[in-house]
Every structure is written in C-alpha cells, then in structure tokens.
Amino acid sequence: MADVKTTRIVSAGGQTKLRRRRFSLATADGITRSFDATKVRIGSHPAADLVLAEPTVSRLHAQITVEDWGWRLEDLDSKNGVRVGGLRVRDADLPGACTLQLGNAELRFEVEETEAEVGLSADDRLGSLLGRSIPMRALFDRLRKVAESDAIALILGETGSGKEEVASTLHGLSARADGPFMIFDCAAVSPQLLESELFGHEKGAFTGATTRREGAVEAAEGGTLFLDEIGELPLDMQQKLLRLLERGDYQRVGASTRRTADVRFVAATHRDLARAAARGTFREDLYFRLAVIELRVPPLRDRPDDVDLLLEHFVRAQTADRDEAQRALDRLTPATRDRLRQHPWPGNVRELRNLVHRMLVLDEAPRPAPATSPATPAPAPNDPPSAPVAGGVTVDPTRPWMAQKRELVSALEARYLEAALAHADGNITHAAANAEVERMYFKRLCKKHGIL
C-alpha cells in the first residue's frame, strides 16, 4: 500500500486539531461521491452508504473502513465477490487510487487532497471516561454532540474497552440524565426469558408468573435503556426489538394491549454487525436501524498515552487512604510505567483495572501477562534472573512459591478463556459447553480476568 496517512494532527491558535483525508468513489456512469466517514458500507440495500442498483451486488456487499494507516476494504461475504485491480480479495489495504469491482459493478477509489476537520475535546475526562489521547478526545467531542438528541446510538468496541461507561456517560450528558439508566445484557439472559425480561409479563402469562412484572423497557421509562451485547440477541427477539424501535411501543407477555415507551435506546457490541447482517445471523433492517449513529471506543493498545492516567485513577479509586495511594504510585518505576504503555492489553481497560487491583492486594509491581505466552511476564531490566523449567515456564527462585503459583494459574486461566471464546466466535454459551463448565461460572472467570 502507498504510504498514505488518513489523519494528521495540526496545531493552530494554541489548539490541537485532527484532520482526516477524504476519499471518493466514482461509478461507471460518472457519479462521484466523497466521503470522510470512518466506515462506508456499499451494497444494494437502500440504507447502505453507497447504493449500487446492480443485480450482482449483494444487499451488504463490502465496506471501507478508515484506519490510521490507510483505507481497508472488506468483503462482507458477498455472493459475487470483491476485486481490486482484477484480483479477488476478502480483506485488503487500498492504495491511493485503484479500481474496485463488486459483482459486475465498477468503482474508482481515489484519495482526495481535501480534508475534514474532526472535533477534539479540550478535556481529558468526560463523565466516567478518562483519556488525553487523540482517539479519546475525538470520542468525547462526538459524545457531546450525540447526547443532544434522542437518536439511537450503537457503541462498538472490543471486550473490556469501556462500552458500558460510554453509554453511561452519554446518558449523563443527555436531557434524560435525571431518569433511570437501565442495563440489559442480551447475552446474560436465557433465551426463554428474554421477552419477559425485556418487555415484562402479566400475572398468569406462563407457569411461574404469579405476579405482574415490569420489564427493562418499562423500568427505563423517562431515561435510557442500554442494550449490551446486542449481537447475541436471537433472531426472533430481534424482530420484536425492531418493532419497538420503529413504532415506539411494546406489549407485555400475556397482555392484550400495547404500551408506549418513552425511552432512549443505546446498544453495544464487540461483534462486526455488518458482517453478521450480511451472513444472515443478524437482521439487516435492525442493523441499519441501530447503526445510524456509531460510537467507536478505541482499544487501549491504540491509546498508550492514556495508560498512566488510567493507572493513577485506578490506584486512587481502589485505595481509601490518599497517602497509601501515593506510596503505591511512587513504587511504579519509570521502567515499569514504560512497560505498561507498551503492553498490547488484550483485555483493554478492564485488564488494566484488574492488574491494579492485583498489584494493591498482593503489594507487588504490576506484571501484565504477555499476549503470546501463558508463562510469567517478561522480567523488568532490574529483575533477578529466572530459572527455566519444563514446558517453557520460567520461575523466579527469589520470590514466594504461592505468589508465583497464583500468577501461573491465573495466566493459564486467562489464556484458556481467550482461546475458548475465540474458538466459539465470542459465544459464551458455546465456549462454556466446549469447556464442559457451567455458563455462569465461565462468565465469572472471564470477568475476573477482564475478558468480558
């Protein structure tokens, strides 16, 4: 790929600004569209960002995503494929100019010289969110704008990146801040109980329904309902949720009348919903209804400038005495802080918070587990030498046996859980079944290690 940066940081009048390069897509009949969005969906569906009225183009055919290093083209499992320069691709980096073929439709991709200015907040915190990095300050600016309306928002981000905190902050900035903020975890409720938990039920609606019960929608009246892990919602419930979002009313299980919902809906997922919609595992119409406004939470590895800020926040938040918190921070050497900034953080902010908790409980230096090995983390420059043992695991004979045993077991647990989830495509129920453990126990272990 050509060396083309999508964004650049400029300083003007004492203010830092972010500018994003635009790109254009031109059809064979001469129509050209210019884009500065972070994601452009292409297909025959009327709600796509670029609609191609061509029979060989799938409803959701492909998408172009803006990354720091350039533009990424992904085939969304289309029927007739995507080609760049005549070669079929599934996931490719785009050069500064090229021809794309989606089915029989041709598009000319070009990077423009013009730029769009991306708003940046001047603050390093917003609600419960912290960040002085450019990606977080851009998110803060977008959050303030989105909070001014009642529009549905879809929060996208990796597990542990802070999607719930983004939803809570959005609620706190909105005109509904005095109303309730209700969380409905779509992955944590049994499929048989989803409708009742979401919409409520009448007395006698089913066996065991001895009283009338309000659901999450009713409990969120006047406030915000956060639909966490929306990608785990079964297809039959997706249809009922879509009706609620489009018509603004719902029906308790066993009721004969419908109720109006005065609720702002915010959803979140770590899944690629566009790809799921293209595959048919998530309803297209619900996806487009949710994805009008997207809020992308950057992973911690993409904002190392925030590690020190978050580290100090978690230490102070988890330590009652101010002097004790300062002593804990003073023990963090420059080498340790540098090692933490360079860590890839597969568990994101949740992993860092859990690491601080472990550091304070065990009264030891923070040692994040390496992403590529279940063994103990690589030693700091001043650490004592370690002795290798069978299986590639290393031990430190100068440290207590039980402390090292806990670390090794913890690292093994975390590595196994991550692998099990990856093998099950992120589905907790399937991962737990494969591991032959109860689903709730599996989920508790995941939360313990900052994986969920």
Side-chain angles (χ1 to χ4, degrees):
M1 174 180 172
D3 184 16
V4 180
K5 287 284 289 182
T6 62
T7 58
R8 66 188 183 99
I9 302 169
V10 297
S11 296
Q15 290 186 329
T16 302
K17 296 183 178 181
L18 185 66
R19 296 187 182 277
R20 179 183 295 128
R21 296 281 294 277
R22 298 176 186 269
F23 68 90
S24 65
L25 292 170
T27 60
D29 54 9
I31 299 175
T32 301
R33 289 275 307 278
S34 181
F35 299 93
D36 59 44
T38 56
K39 182 172 70 174
V40 173
R41 296 156 296 198
I42 308 169
S44 60
H45 193 288
D49 301 302
L50 181 62
V51 180
L52 299 177
E54 158 62 48
T56 60
V57 173
S58 301
R59 290 165 64 82
L60 272 173
H61 198 109
Q63 68 182 14
I64 296 175
T65 306
V66 178
E67 309 285 357
D68 281 343
W69 37 260
W71 292 267
R72 177 184 179 188
L73 174 67
E74 296 174 86
D75 183 349
L76 296 177
D77 297 325
S78 64
K79 182 177 180 181
N80 294 304
V82 176
R83 288 175 171 79
V84 179
L87 297 176
R88 182 159 184 169
V89 300
R90 293 193 178 276
D91 191 332
D93 299 339
L94 294 178
C98 60
T99 299
L100 315 181
Q101 187 173 345
L102 283 66
N104 291 335
E106 278 197 1
L107 294 171
R108 182 65 181 172
F109 171 86
E110 298 214 7
V111 176
E112 299 182 355
E113 291 302 319
T114 57
E115 298 174 326
E117 188 170 300
V118 179
L120 292 178
S121 171
D123 303 316
D124 63 4
R125 63 183 61 216
L126 185 67
S128 60
L129 299 170
L130 295 174
R132 59 171 66 102
S133 63
I134 293 295
M136 287 302 289
R137 288 167 57 198
L139 176 61
F140 292 170
D141 182 80
R142 188 167 173 82
L143 269 172
R144 286 195 174 98
K145 294 174 182 176
V146 175
E148 295 175 359
S149 77
D150 248 5
I152 299 169
L154 177 62
I155 303 171
L156 304 173
E158 296 178 4
T159 298
S161 58
K163 297 187 290 294
E164 183 178 323
E165 286 73 18
V166 171
S168 175
T169 298
L170 182 61
H171 169 72
L173 294 171
S174 73
R176 295 177 175 269
D178 293 334
F181 175 70
M182 296 298 300
I183 302 172
F184 186 82
D185 188 343
C186 300
V189 181
S190 166
Q192 294 77 20
L193 298 176
L194 272 170
E195 186 174 3
S196 171
E197 292 292 320
L198 188 59
F199 300 133
H201 63 254
E202 296 290 336
K203 180 180 179 180
F206 50 83
T207 303
T210 56
T211 60
R212 173 186 288 178
R213 186 178 186 278
E214 72 174 19
V217 177
E218 189 174 349
E221 188 74 12
T224 301
L225 178 58
F226 175 47
L227 300 166
D228 197 12
E229 294 302 343
I230 189 74
E232 309 305 317
L233 205 61
L235 285 169
D236 59 334
M237 277 301 299
Q238 291 178 26
Q239 180 180 2
K240 294 173 182 177
L241 175 61
L242 177 63
R243 175 169 177 150
L244 167 63
L245 298 181
E246 292 192 330
R247 298 184 49 168
D249 61 18
Y250 64 99
Q251 191 169 339
R252 287 174 175 163
V253 177
S256 57
T257 57
R258 302 189 69 81
R259 303 169 62 87
T260 300
D262 176 22
V263 175
R264 199 250 177 98
F265 295 94
V266 178
T269 183
H270 70 283
R271 291 188 179 277
D272 185 342
L273 288 191
R275 190 176 297 278
R279 290 174 175 171
T281 57
F282 196 85
R283 289 183 64 102
E284 275 186 355
D285 43 10
L286 178 57
Y287 166 65
F288 282 114
R289 190 72 180 87
L290 292 169
V292 175
I293 297 177
E294 293 184 345
L295 295 166
R296 294 183 175 273
V297 188
L300 187 54
R301 65 178 174 275
D302 288 350
R303 50 189 186 106
D305 293 346
D306 294 337
V307 171
D308 279 341
L309 184 67
L310 291 166
L311 181 67
E312 294 183 9
H313 169 74
F314 290 140
V315 168
R316 298 187 191 282
Q318 296 182 33
T319 309
D321 184 80
R322 182 178 300 179
D323 292 337
E324 183 182 344
Q326 189 58 52
R327 284 193 295 271
L329 290 171
D330 291 341
R331 290 198 299 269
L332 298 174
T333 66
T336 297
R337 287 177 179 266
D338 186 60
R339 187 166 69 248
L340 294 177
R341 283 191 292 270
Q342 295 180 32
H343 183 62
W345 298 110
N348 286 294
V349 177
R350 186 179 291 132
E351 181 186 353
L352 175 57
R353 185 183 61 216
N354 292 345
L355 181 142
V356 169
H357 180 70
R358 184 166 64 247
M359 174 188 80
L360 295 173
V361 170
L362 300 179
D363 191 26
E364 62 183 19
R367 293 167 172 263
T372 57
S373 172
T376 50
N382 295 326
D383 282 348
S386 299
V389 296
V393 176
T394 57
V395 298
D396 180 355
T398 67
R399 296 181 60 229
W401 150 249
M402 288 305 297
Q404 292 186 74
K405 180 182 178 182
R406 282 194 299 267
E407 287 178 2
L408 286 169
V409 172
S410 178
L412 176 61
E413 279 184 357
R415 184 77 183 279
Y416 179 86
L417 294 167
E418 289 173 353
L421 277 173
H423 180 70
D425 195 25
N427 188 301
I428 296 176
T429 301
H430 294 168
N434 292 338
E436 298 184 3
V437 298
E438 291 293 329
R439 183 182 183 280
M440 291 308 296
Y441 175 68
F442 187 92
K443 188 172 184 180
R444 282 198 302 273
L445 284 177
C446 288
K447 287 186 174 181
K448 166 188 168 185
H449 291 282
I451 297 172
L452 290 179

